[in-house]
Amino acid sequence: MNEFYLSQFRISRETALRRRLVSAYDLHKLLWKCFPGRPEARRDFLFRCDHHETELKFLMLSATRPEPGEWAEWDGIKSFRPEFPAGTLYWFRLRANPVIRQGSDGKLRALTTADELSDWLVRKGGHHGFALRSGPEFSDCRLEQFTRRTGTPAVSINVVDIDGVLSVTDSMAFRNAFCQGIGRSRAFGCGLLLLKRITM
Protein backbone atom coordinates (compact mmCIF):
# COMPACT_ATOMS: atom_id res chain seq x y z
CA MET A 1 0.00 0.00 0.00
CA ASN A 2 1.32 3.43 -0.93
CA GLU A 3 1.93 6.03 1.75
CA PHE A 4 -0.21 9.17 1.89
CA TYR A 5 0.11 12.41 3.82
CA LEU A 6 -2.54 14.27 5.80
CA SER A 7 -1.64 17.90 6.48
CA GLN A 8 -3.31 20.49 8.70
CA PHE A 9 -2.56 24.18 8.40
CA ARG A 10 -4.11 27.63 8.84
CA ILE A 11 -4.02 30.87 6.85
CA SER A 12 -4.93 34.09 8.61
CA ARG A 13 -7.61 36.33 7.14
CA GLU A 14 -4.98 39.04 6.77
CA THR A 15 -2.75 36.77 4.69
CA ALA A 16 -5.71 35.58 2.63
CA LEU A 17 -6.66 39.17 1.80
CA ARG A 18 -3.07 40.14 1.02
CA ARG A 19 -2.71 37.18 -1.34
CA ARG A 20 -6.18 37.77 -2.84
CA LEU A 21 -7.44 34.32 -1.98
CA VAL A 22 -11.05 34.94 -2.91
CA SER A 23 -12.06 31.70 -4.69
CA ALA A 24 -11.52 27.96 -4.64
CA TYR A 25 -9.36 28.36 -7.75
CA ASP A 26 -7.06 30.79 -5.92
CA LEU A 27 -6.66 28.25 -3.10
CA HIS A 28 -5.96 25.48 -5.60
CA LYS A 29 -3.17 27.51 -7.22
CA LEU A 30 -1.66 28.34 -3.83
CA LEU A 31 -1.62 24.73 -2.65
CA TRP A 32 0.26 23.68 -5.80
CA LYS A 33 3.18 25.67 -4.32
CA CYS A 34 3.51 22.89 -1.72
CA PHE A 35 4.69 20.55 -4.50
CA PRO A 36 7.43 22.44 -6.38
CA GLY A 37 9.44 21.15 -9.30
CA ARG A 38 6.55 19.23 -10.86
CA PRO A 39 5.23 21.49 -13.66
CA GLU A 40 3.85 18.58 -15.70
CA ALA A 41 2.54 16.50 -12.80
CA ARG A 42 -1.10 15.62 -12.42
CA ARG A 43 -2.81 16.88 -9.29
CA ASP A 44 -2.47 14.22 -6.58
CA PHE A 45 -3.95 16.07 -3.62
CA LEU A 46 -7.37 16.82 -2.17
CA PHE A 47 -8.17 19.61 0.24
CA ARG A 48 -10.92 21.04 2.35
CA CYS A 49 -11.06 24.65 3.55
CA ASP A 50 -13.28 25.80 6.41
CA HIS A 51 -13.76 29.52 6.94
CA HIS A 52 -13.55 30.86 10.49
CA GLU A 53 -13.76 34.39 11.82
CA THR A 54 -10.01 35.07 11.88
CA GLU A 55 -8.54 32.32 9.68
CA LEU A 56 -9.01 29.65 7.05
CA LYS A 57 -8.44 26.09 8.27
CA PHE A 58 -7.24 23.43 5.84
CA LEU A 59 -7.00 19.67 5.65
CA MET A 60 -5.03 18.30 2.70
CA LEU A 61 -4.56 14.69 1.62
CA SER A 62 -1.68 14.11 -0.79
CA ALA A 63 0.26 11.27 -2.37
CA THR A 64 3.42 13.43 -2.19
CA ARG A 65 4.82 14.92 1.01
CA PRO A 66 4.15 18.67 0.85
CA GLU A 67 6.74 21.37 1.45
CA PRO A 68 5.18 23.78 3.99
CA GLY A 69 4.86 27.33 2.73
CA GLU A 70 5.61 30.38 4.85
CA TRP A 71 2.15 31.74 4.06
CA ALA A 72 0.50 29.31 6.52
CA GLU A 73 0.78 28.09 10.09
CA TRP A 74 1.37 24.36 9.80
CA ASP A 75 -0.05 22.17 12.55
CA GLY A 76 1.41 18.89 11.35
CA ILE A 77 1.95 16.45 8.49
CA LYS A 78 1.08 12.82 9.21
CA SER A 79 2.05 9.92 6.98
CA PHE A 80 -0.11 6.79 6.89
CA ARG A 81 -1.19 3.89 4.69
CA PRO A 82 -4.97 3.96 4.16
CA GLU A 83 -6.63 0.62 4.86
CA PHE A 84 -10.37 0.08 5.17
CA PRO A 85 -11.47 -3.47 6.01
CA ALA A 86 -14.84 -4.51 4.60
CA GLY A 87 -17.63 -4.17 7.15
CA THR A 88 -15.98 -1.32 9.08
CA LEU A 89 -18.32 1.49 10.17
CA TYR A 90 -17.34 5.15 9.88
CA TRP A 91 -18.91 8.47 10.66
CA PHE A 92 -18.19 10.58 7.59
CA ARG A 93 -18.26 14.17 6.44
CA LEU A 94 -18.02 15.03 2.76
CA ARG A 95 -18.01 18.36 0.95
CA ALA A 96 -19.30 17.63 -2.51
CA ASN A 97 -20.47 19.14 -5.79
CA PRO A 98 -23.48 16.91 -6.60
CA VAL A 99 -24.48 17.22 -10.26
CA ILE A 100 -26.01 15.03 -12.94
CA ARG A 101 -25.48 15.06 -16.69
CA GLN A 102 -28.77 15.14 -18.58
CA GLY A 103 -30.40 16.09 -21.83
CA SER A 104 -29.21 15.58 -25.40
CA ASP A 105 -26.50 18.20 -24.92
CA GLY A 106 -25.14 16.49 -21.80
CA LYS A 107 -25.17 19.63 -19.69
CA LEU A 108 -24.59 19.31 -15.96
CA ARG A 109 -27.44 20.15 -13.61
CA ALA A 110 -26.94 20.86 -9.92
CA LEU A 111 -28.77 18.55 -7.50
CA THR A 112 -30.30 20.46 -4.62
CA THR A 113 -33.26 18.60 -3.09
CA ALA A 114 -32.87 16.06 -0.27
CA ASP A 115 -34.19 13.25 -2.48
CA GLU A 116 -31.82 14.11 -5.33
CA LEU A 117 -28.86 14.37 -2.99
CA SER A 118 -29.70 11.07 -1.27
CA ASP A 119 -30.00 9.26 -4.61
CA TRP A 120 -26.67 10.76 -5.74
CA LEU A 121 -24.93 9.58 -2.57
CA VAL A 122 -26.37 6.07 -2.84
CA ARG A 123 -25.12 5.85 -6.45
CA LYS A 124 -21.67 7.00 -5.38
CA GLY A 125 -21.65 4.40 -2.62
CA GLY A 126 -22.44 1.63 -5.07
CA HIS A 127 -19.56 2.74 -7.28
CA HIS A 128 -17.06 3.50 -4.52
CA GLY A 129 -17.49 0.55 -2.17
CA PHE A 130 -19.66 1.83 0.67
CA ALA A 131 -23.25 1.68 1.88
CA LEU A 132 -25.10 4.21 4.01
CA ARG A 133 -26.02 3.10 7.53
CA SER A 134 -27.94 6.21 8.55
CA GLY A 135 -30.02 8.86 6.86
CA PRO A 136 -27.47 11.48 5.71
CA GLU A 137 -27.76 15.12 6.74
CA PHE A 138 -27.23 17.81 4.12
CA SER A 139 -26.33 21.46 4.54
CA ASP A 140 -27.99 24.09 2.42
CA CYS A 141 -26.50 24.10 -1.07
CA ARG A 142 -24.47 27.15 -1.97
CA LEU A 143 -23.36 28.29 -5.40
CA GLU A 144 -19.71 29.27 -5.82
CA GLN A 145 -18.51 30.89 -9.04
CA PHE A 146 -15.08 31.94 -10.26
CA THR A 147 -13.08 32.37 -13.46
CA ARG A 148 -9.75 30.67 -14.08
CA ARG A 149 -8.52 33.28 -16.53
CA THR A 150 -9.72 36.69 -17.66
CA GLY A 151 -12.16 36.40 -20.52
CA THR A 152 -13.09 32.76 -19.89
CA PRO A 153 -16.57 31.56 -18.81
CA ALA A 154 -17.27 31.37 -15.09
CA VAL A 155 -16.99 28.01 -13.37
CA SER A 156 -19.96 27.18 -11.12
CA ILE A 157 -19.82 24.75 -8.19
CA ASN A 158 -22.86 23.52 -6.26
CA VAL A 159 -21.33 22.98 -2.79
CA VAL A 160 -23.03 20.92 -0.08
CA ASP A 161 -21.71 19.37 3.15
CA ILE A 162 -22.92 15.84 3.93
CA ASP A 163 -22.74 14.02 7.28
CA GLY A 164 -23.68 10.42 7.99
CA VAL A 165 -22.61 6.88 8.80
CA LEU A 166 -21.34 4.39 6.24
CA SER A 167 -19.96 0.87 6.13
CA VAL A 168 -17.26 -0.33 3.77
CA THR A 169 -18.49 -2.94 1.28
CA ASP A 170 -15.43 -3.10 -1.01
CA SER A 171 -12.07 -2.31 0.58
CA MET A 172 -10.15 -1.50 -2.60
CA ALA A 173 -12.90 0.59 -4.20
CA PHE A 174 -13.34 2.56 -0.97
CA ARG A 175 -9.60 3.11 -0.61
CA ASN A 176 -9.49 4.48 -4.16
CA ALA A 177 -12.40 6.81 -3.37
CA PHE A 178 -10.70 8.03 -0.19
CA CYS A 179 -7.40 8.69 -1.97
CA GLN A 180 -8.81 10.16 -5.19
CA GLY A 181 -11.95 11.90 -3.89
CA ILE A 182 -15.66 11.61 -4.61
CA GLY A 183 -17.60 13.54 -7.21
CA ARG A 184 -16.63 16.55 -9.29
CA SER A 185 -14.61 19.72 -8.48
CA ARG A 186 -12.01 17.78 -6.51
CA ALA A 187 -9.38 20.34 -7.51
CA PHE A 188 -11.44 23.08 -5.89
CA GLY A 189 -11.99 21.82 -2.35
CA CYS A 190 -14.61 19.11 -2.89
CA GLY A 191 -14.42 15.32 -2.63
CA LEU A 192 -12.28 14.76 0.49
CA LEU A 193 -13.82 12.23 2.89
CA LEU A 194 -13.35 12.91 6.60
CA LEU A 195 -13.72 9.67 8.55
CA LYS A 196 -13.97 8.59 12.17
CA ARG A 197 -14.14 4.88 12.89
CA ILE A 198 -17.11 3.63 14.90
CA THR A 199 -16.46 0.74 17.27
CA MET A 200 -19.43 -1.29 18.45
Side-chain angles (χ1 to χ4, degrees):
M1 293 290 185
N2 294 335
E3 200 167 49
F4 277 74
Y5 301 89
L6 185 64
S7 307
Q8 296 187 66
F9 53 95
R10 295 169 284 120
I11 299 178
S12 69
R13 287 284 186 181
E14 180 182 353
T15 299
L17 288 172
R18 187 170 65 250
R19 288 183 168 267
R20 299 180 182 178
L21 303 177
V22 297
S23 74
Y25 182 57
D26 298 324
L27 298 176
H28 168 78
K29 290 193 298 181
L30 180 66
L31 297 189
W32 260 118
K33 297 180 183 296
C34 297
F35 309 98
R38 307 168 62 217
E40 304 302 323
R42 295 183 62 185
R43 178 191 55 78
D44 62 357
F45 65 88
L46 301 166
F47 75 94
R48 176 189 174 104
C49 174
D50 289 299
H51 293 250
H52 296 267
E53 186 175 349
T54 60
E55 61 188 6
L56 310 181
K57 290 187 176 182
F58 290 81
L59 282 173
M60 181 169 67
L61 178 70
S62 59
T64 304
R65 186 179 181 88
E67 295 187 13
E70 79 289 346
W71 33 264
E73 295 290 334
W74 290 74
D75 298 319
I77 301 172
K78 175 185 176 182
S79 64
F80 68 108
R81 298 180 186 275
E83 295 183 16
F84 305 101
T88 307
L89 288 172
Y90 292 96
W91 168 88
F92 74 90
R93 175 167 289 168
L94 171 67
R95 178 164 293 160
N97 174 26
V99 294
I100 191 170
R101 197 176 295 280
Q102 63 179 195
S104 57
D105 56 4
K107 284 187 176 181
L108 295 173
R109 180 178 70 82
L111 304 177
T112 58
T113 70
D115 286 345
E116 288 178 332
L117 294 170
S118 293
D119 290 345
W120 177 86
L121 191 57
V122 169
R123 289 196 301 271
K124 291 299 180 184
H127 183 68
H128 291 306
F130 67 88
L132 297 177
R133 292 294 180 251
S134 72
E137 296 182 1
F138 304 102
S139 70
D140 292 335
C141 296
R142 63 182 186 276
L143 179 66
E144 296 185 6
Q145 291 184 312
F146 56 87
T147 55
R148 302 190 201 195
R149 291 177 296 276
T150 303
T152 60
V155 176
S156 298
I157 302 178
N158 170 44
V159 180
V160 61
D161 288 315
I162 308 170
D163 294 315
V165 176
L166 61 78
S167 64
V168 178
T169 58
D170 183 321
S171 296
M172 187 56 66
F174 188 75
R175 183 184 185 277
N176 290 339
F178 177 81
C179 296
Q180 299 172 14
I182 293 177
R184 302 180 69 90
S185 302
R186 287 170 285 175
F188 306 125
C190 295
L192 175 61
L193 268 173
L194 306 184
L195 298 170
K196 183 176 181 180
R197 187 166 181 170
I198 299 172
T199 56
M200 304 301 288

